[in-house]
Amino acid sequence: MIDKKDVEYAAGLAQLKLDEEEKEKYTEQIGEILDYVDKLSELDTDDVVPTAYTVPMKNVLRKDEVQESLPREKSLANAPDEKDGQFRAPKIMSD
Amino acid sequence: MSTKYETVIGLEVHVQLNTESKIFCGCSTEFGKEPNENTCPVCLGLPGTLPVLNKKVVDYAIMAGLALNCEIAEYSKFDRKNYFYPDLPKAYQISQFDLPVAENGRIEIETDEGIFNIGVTRVHLEEDAGKLIHEGSIDKSKGSLVDYNRTGVPLIEIVSEPDMRTPAQAKAYLTELKMIMEYLDISDCNMEEGSLRCDANVSLRPVGQEEFGTKAELKNMNSFSAVEKGLEYEVKRQRQLLEEGGEVVQETRTWDESLNKTISMRGKEEAHDYRYFPEPDLVPLEINEAWKEEMRKEIPELPREKYKRFVSELGLPEYDAGVLTGDKDMAVFFEEVLKDYDDPKNLSNWMMGEFLRLLNENNHSPFDSGVTPLNLARMLKLIDEDVISGKIAKEVFEKMYNSGSDPETIVEEEGLKQISDEDELENIVDGIIAENSDAVEDVQNGKDRAIGFLVGQVMKETRGKANPGLVNQMLRDKLMD
Ligand SMILES: [Zn+2]
């Protein structure tokens, strides 16, 4: 099933830092969730088309019309850091 | 004995669609605005917002799919492609994973080596990311500045089959794609501005081997020549590696234009695990026959068909047909003139000669100049009817180009009419004969070429207006009986 390595990998992708205790705990909890969901595979779905969307709606579209954007001060209002009208993000590359 | 290797190239091409508004919000897609002026809660990925799909984006993707001979999906959906990068405010890109708008297409390309069919695996829709400016070098920067104006600009990604065997074929494929998009008028296709982007997968395998070799992914080729040069370099690099008994490593490499080589990006990018899943905020697309047919009607004659028709029906040389159909406006202009003029080859000479020269000089597209198709047709008729000489026509044409006047007015106002009246030319011809006794003697001694010199003198005297055929005949009559 799932082991600590999988949890570490998933945490890495999500950019989460987990301590040892959390890793153990989540390995167990996620394992239980997966076991539970796995019940579904008992069903024979060979002849069932995979469902991509559960609400019976389709083609919700808008016209290609320009609407007013936010004033730039508002766009930047929640930015922790900004410079020259741009968002400032911490450095990207680790090495 | 050394092994012979075969090159295998596949291209992934991103095309920015030229809609007015973004793919999932009403922000303008206009290029060149101040940073972050074209942003709103949706494209900034603020919590609680919902994307709504722009219909025109789907229209364009269907048109692209049809033009690339794809099957259009009856049922298509969007997915989230997850990764962290500051140019992506939501930490996922809305894209399409397993049910793209179009699949299984192909296009025909032509190189010096012949005609090839290149498979198109798929055409899918996605949103563009923002633009990052690193403070300092990418390695040592303290941070990055982000402009989200481009975030949410609609893109189609066109993925080819690994069907290309030379960098020249790859360039021809990319050129053909660009022309098709331009004919469809769904993108500006400007590589320098980033509205057309190309990544390549390149590998080598021993000739005869079915299995593909290990590939490198090549990025950052920002012009057509960069694509060709980058691929040529990469093919050479891999061949050398293999011939020396080495192995190609699967990696991303970036083309460095200033160093003229590809550089490994290994260690500078994380392993990709995008964890695609269906985008729950967008409902699926169902594209029925009626929608498809409506879009099919929007597709004009495509460059390759036009090229073939220009050769087969108009009798143009392949070279002419290639130049004229290589630019949509050029082809449209050409066909407009043909409505009032019926010598395609003569027209083609003018368009590829004087017209193209002036267009390039002024950095104009055909419809930017003062020359209208009808006026060009009228000018060509003036030449055919001997009203003006071919030489004078160049002068008339340049005046038309700059002023927008019609040729008859220019000829009238500037007194450029060809002199085809023998009486009017008589004195001038006699004068030239009197002044050039050496040449006259040469002519009389059978040196036929000296006639050309005398004709030239008469032309000079009349500032190009004399009818050269008539002058030639008059000189012969006077000197050679
Ligand atoms: Zn927006």
Side-chain angles (χ1 to χ4, degrees):
Chain A
M1 276 310 304
I2 184 174
D3 60 25
K4 207 169 85 181
K5 271 217 167 79
D6 298 318
V7 172
E8 285 170 346
Y9 177 70
L13 286 172
Q15 300 202 332
L16 294 172
K17 281 207 176 70
L18 303 179
D19 60 32
E20 282 308 307
E21 198 182 320
E22 285 169 320
K23 284 179 196 169
E24 299 292 345
K25 190 169 93 187
Y26 293 142
T27 305
E28 196 185 315
Q29 286 184 349
I30 295 172
E32 281 168 14
I33 293 167
L34 290 176
D35 284 344
Y36 177 67
V37 174
D38 207 35
K39 257 196 145 5
L40 283 173
S41 47
E42 289 168 20
L43 286 171
D44 177 8
T45 55
D46 282 353
D47 297 323
V48 180
V49 181
T51 307
Y53 199 74
T54 50
V55 180
M57 285 173 81
K58 59 179 184 187
N59 299 357
V60 176
L61 301 158
R62 46 168 263 270
K63 269 195 172 165
D64 182 29
E65 283 168 356
V66 174
Q67 247 124 49
E68 218 168 307
S69 295
L70 273 186
R72 186 157 71 164
E73 322 80 78
K74 284 207 165 168
S75 288
L76 289 161
N78 290 332
D81 195 4
E82 61 161 296
K83 193 185 167 193
D84 305 332
Q86 296 168 85
F87 294 83
R88 191 166 192 197
K91 68 177 257 187
I92 306 152
M93 298 298 176
S94 44
D95 48 308
Chain B
M1 197 189 113
S2 68
T3 321
K4 275 209 169 254
Y5 290 99
E6 176 181 55
T7 303
V8 177
I9 301 171
L11 295 186
E12 288 169 16
V13 179
H14 284 90
V15 178
Q16 231 176 42
L17 301 177
N18 59 6
T19 53
E20 297 292 321
S21 65
K22 291 185 178 181
I23 182 169
F24 300 123
C25 65
C27 287
S28 163
T29 56
E30 196 184 328
F31 187 78
K33 295 290 273 289
E34 289 295 311
N36 295 304
E37 272 195 343
N38 295 344
T39 58
C40 74
V42 173
C43 55
L44 288 171
L46 300 189
T49 57
L50 284 174
V52 187
L53 183 58
N54 182 341
K55 176 171 185 289
K56 187 148 262 173
V57 168
V58 186
D59 288 347
Y60 284 0
I62 296 172
M63 282 169 69
L66 291 171
L68 301 174
N69 304 299
C70 291
E71 296 154 21
I72 305 299
E74 284 169 38
Y75 184 90
S76 179
K77 71 171 172 67
F78 289 89
D79 300 275
R80 290 187 183 179
K81 177 179 178 177
N82 300 279
Y83 62 94
F84 289 105
Y85 207 67
D87 65 4
L88 201 63
K90 301 191 295 296
Y92 59 83
Q93 178 192 30
I94 302 180
S95 180
Q96 297 195 291
F97 183 54
D98 57 337
L99 296 171
V101 169
E103 283 181 287
N104 300 326
R106 87 203 118 67
I107 60 169
E108 189 181 278
I109 62 160
E110 189 167 357
T111 72
D112 293 342
E113 283 138 23
I115 292 170
F116 304 91
N117 266 301
I118 308 298
V120 172
T121 315
R122 57 189 273 152
V123 178
H124 73 249
L125 278 168
E126 59 188 30
E127 55 180 345
D128 208 344
K131 220 172 79 191
L132 277 188
I133 298 165
H134 301 288
E135 294 180 286
S137 71
I138 190 163
D139 290 333
K140 298 186 185 96
S141 77
K142 293 191 293 285
S144 298
L145 301 179
V146 199
D147 171 6
Y148 289 120
N149 281 349
R150 208 178 62 184
T151 307
V153 169
L155 296 176
I156 48 174
E157 180 174 339
I158 302 167
V159 182
S160 85
E161 289 291 302
D163 284 348
M164 287 155 273
R165 295 290 169 265
T166 62
Q169 284 178 19
K171 191 182 171 199
Y173 168 80
L174 189 61
T175 306
E176 195 65 35
L177 272 193
K178 176 178 187 274
M179 288 199 294
I180 292 171
M181 298 304 137
E182 281 171 346
Y183 272 60
L184 295 176
D185 198 15
I186 62 174
S187 173
D188 302 330
C189 288
N190 186 326
M191 277 195 100
E192 281 73 19
E193 276 178 15
S195 53
L196 181 75
R197 288 167 239 159
C198 174
D199 299 330
N201 289 311
V202 191
S203 65
L204 261 55
R205 64 181 170 192
V207 169
Q209 178 182 308
E210 196 147 332
E211 194 188 327
F212 292 131
T214 308
K215 70 183 178 188
E217 192 181 355
L218 206 54
K219 288 185 181 291
N220 197 35
M221 299 171 291
N222 296 325
S223 67
F224 280 83
S225 76
V227 170
E228 205 176 15
K229 280 193 288 181
L231 288 171
E232 274 166 7
Y233 177 89
E234 185 55 24
V235 169
K236 214 171 82 187
R237 185 189 72 88
Q238 291 189 16
R239 177 172 298 133
Q240 215 157 38
L241 251 177
L242 294 170
E243 279 170 355
E244 286 163 4
E247 263 177 33
V248 175
V249 184
Q250 178 149 0
E251 60 181 352
T252 302
R253 299 181 69 86
T254 182
W255 169 245
D256 190 317
E257 186 80 52
S258 57
L259 297 176
N260 251 310
K261 58 195 241 180
T262 64
I263 295 166
S264 173
M265 295 291 279
R266 230 178 327 154
K268 302 215 167 168
E269 49 156 17
E270 287 169 43
H272 292 172
D273 183 348
Y274 294 126
R275 294 154 295 143
Y276 281 97
F277 64 85
E279 166 58 89
D281 288 343
L282 288 165
V283 303
L285 277 172
E286 274 182 39
I287 303 166
N288 60 19
E289 278 305 311
W291 194 353
K292 249 172 30 185
E293 278 320 301
E294 193 191 323
M295 289 307 110
R296 202 186 296 279
K297 285 196 197 111
E298 295 292 312
I299 298 178
E301 185 181 35
L302 294 171
R304 195 81 192 131
E305 302 161 22
K306 213 184 255 307
Y307 167 85
K308 289 180 180 170
R309 186 168 59 79
F310 279 12
V311 173
S312 67
E313 284 179 25
L314 301 181
L316 286 184
E318 286 175 0
Y319 177 79
D320 292 39
V323 173
L324 292 171
T325 56
D327 179 274
K328 184 192 181 186
D329 284 344
M330 198 79 175
V332 171
F333 196 101
F334 178 79
E335 293 195 276
E336 279 297 308
V337 181
L338 280 188
K339 287 181 186 165
D340 299 290
Y341 185 70
D342 58 9
D343 184 344
K345 178 56 189 159
N346 195 31
L347 170 58
S348 161
N349 289 344
W350 270 88
M351 291 209 46
M352 299 201 310
E354 284 302 290
F355 201 15
L356 203 54
R357 181 181 69 78
L358 288 168
L359 291 175
N360 288 339
E361 253 175 49
N362 295 286
N363 204 9
H364 279 159
S365 108
F367 289 97
D368 294 341
S369 92
V371 182
T372 63
L374 179 61
N375 281 346
L376 178 51
R378 283 160 67 172
M379 190 204 79
L380 293 172
K381 282 188 211 162
L382 291 182
I383 307 174
D384 293 350
E385 290 158 7
D386 279 339
V387 177
I388 53 173
S389 67
K391 193 162 173 233
I392 290 289
K394 288 188 182 171
E395 203 180 319
V396 174
F397 186 75
E398 192 152 351
K399 291 202 159 83
M400 286 161 62
Y401 190 100
N402 292 320
S403 71
S405 285
D406 64 82
E408 289 86 350
T409 306
I410 293 169
V411 168
E412 192 60 45
E413 281 176 359
E414 312 270 334
L416 295 172
K417 234 186 198 143
Q418 178 156 272
I419 310 171
S420 296
D421 179 7
E422 256 182 76
D423 293 341
E424 211 175 317
L425 289 172
E426 186 88 43
N427 279 338
I428 302 166
V429 170
D430 288 343
I432 294 296
I433 288 174
E435 283 163 28
N436 295 279
S437 47
D438 287 354
V440 168
E441 205 173 306
D442 285 347
V443 173
Q444 282 162 343
N445 289 334
K447 284 193 186 158
D448 207 42
R449 259 195 289 164
I451 275 265
F453 171 77
L454 292 172
V455 172
Q457 292 304 304
V458 175
M459 295 309 287
K460 211 163 131 192
E461 184 77 22
T462 57
R463 299 204 331 277
K465 288 189 290 180
N467 179 336
L470 179 61
V471 171
N472 195 302
Q473 196 50 54
M474 286 170 73
L475 284 164
R476 281 177 197 279
D477 289 347
K478 283 176 189 288
L479 302 177
M480 288 165 54
D481 45 4

